Amino acid sequence: MTKIKTKPWDASKYLDTPEAIEEYLLAAFKTGDPKLIAASLGDVARARNMSELARECGMTRAALYRAFSGETDPGFATIMKVMRALNISIAPTVGESDKAA
């Protein structure tokens, strides 16, 4: 039997356009899973140059890698700081069932 060689998937290699990044993050946010959202932001951060991003955020590279490693939950302030540096914004929307009649 032949062994199949596999490699870990690295989404950051495919996040090479603003459209790809937007679709990737939209899919993550639609799940509502905070760990997946954080991991997705980490993928985008790696795609965009983690060292430069760390400087823009006023954090160390190691702290950014740690925050988005999936082993810890980054704080909301860290997420917002990274999103701001990546020029990514979020906007709340009110669902149909929550709107006033």
Side-chain angles (χ1 to χ4, degrees):
M1 181 183 250
T2 305
K3 290 185 179 181
I4 298 174
K5 293 182 181 180
T6 62
K7 297 179 189 175
W9 172 259
D10 185 358
S12 68
K13 293 180 181 181
Y14 303 94
L15 299 172
D16 53 0
T17 66
E19 295 81 13
I21 291 168
E22 182 177 18
E23 289 300 318
Y24 187 68
L25 290 175
L26 279 172
F29 273 86
K30 282 182 181 178
T31 68
D33 180 349
K35 287 188 183 229
L36 180 60
I37 293 167
S40 298
L41 283 169
D43 291 338
V44 173
R46 281 195 313 283
R48 289 278 192 86
N49 187 330
M50 193 67 92
S51 296
E52 185 178 312
L53 182 64
R55 278 191 297 278
E56 289 179 36
C57 291
M59 300 173 72
T60 65
R61 254 179 86 236
L64 276 180
Y65 275 112
R66 206 170 27 256
F68 295 102
S69 69
E71 294 176 17
T72 63
D73 289 328
F76 190 69
T78 299
I79 288 173
M80 292 305 296
K81 195 183 296 188
V82 168
M83 288 180 67
R84 195 173 307 114
L86 291 170
N87 198 27
I88 297 168
S89 62
I90 56 175
T93 58
V94 177
E96 286 297 318
S97 63
D98 296 332
K99 290 183 180 175

